[in-house]
Every structure is written in C-alpha cells, then in structure tokens.
Amino acid sequence: MKMPQLLDAYRCAEELEEVADCLAVDVDTLLARIDALTTDERDQLVALYRETEHGC
C-alpha cells in the first residue's frame, strides 16, 4: 500500500481493524507496513494523528 492510501484510511478509522478493512488487508499486513515506514512517512502519520486526534 502506498502512503496516500494509508493516510486516507487513517483519516476516519478509529481502530486498526477499520484501517485494515479500508485497505483490504489484514491487521498483520497493516502492522508490517507501519513497521516499515520511513522516518518521513512516520512523521506524516503522526502529524495526521495529532491533527485528527485519531478520529473524524
């Protein structure tokens, strides 16, 4: 999955299961992708989390 897809899925999902469902992957695959994030990608995800307070 590409970073824009990951960020879009995180924008409204509140649980990892929801994010995984939005991306049509299982939670283990999602976690593997999160573990493989670059520093820049991780910073983008953290910024989104802070911006949305993790939820729409």
Side-chain angles (χ1 to χ4, degrees), residues 8-22:
D8 285 344
Y10 260 97
R11 277 194 174 84
C12 289
E14 295 185 23
E15 303 288 334
L16 281 178
E17 291 80 7
E18 291 177 89
V19 176
D21 285 345
C22 287

Side-chain angles (χ1 to χ4, degrees), residues 6-55:
L6 183 61
L7 292 172
D8 285 344
Y10 260 97
R11 277 194 174 84
C12 289
E14 295 185 23
E15 303 288 334
L16 281 178
E17 291 80 7
E18 291 177 89
V19 176
D21 285 345
C22 287
L23 296 167
V25 298
D26 60 26
V27 173
D28 289 336
T29 301
L30 174 60
L31 291 174
R33 175 63 175 107
I34 292 169
D35 286 342
L37 291 175
T38 65
T39 301
D40 181 56
E41 290 172 332
R42 191 173 307 275
D43 289 346
Q44 290 177 57
L45 192 57
V46 168
L48 176 64
Y49 183 89
R50 289 180 179 155
E51 173 186 311
T52 62
E53 296 184 27
H54 203 61

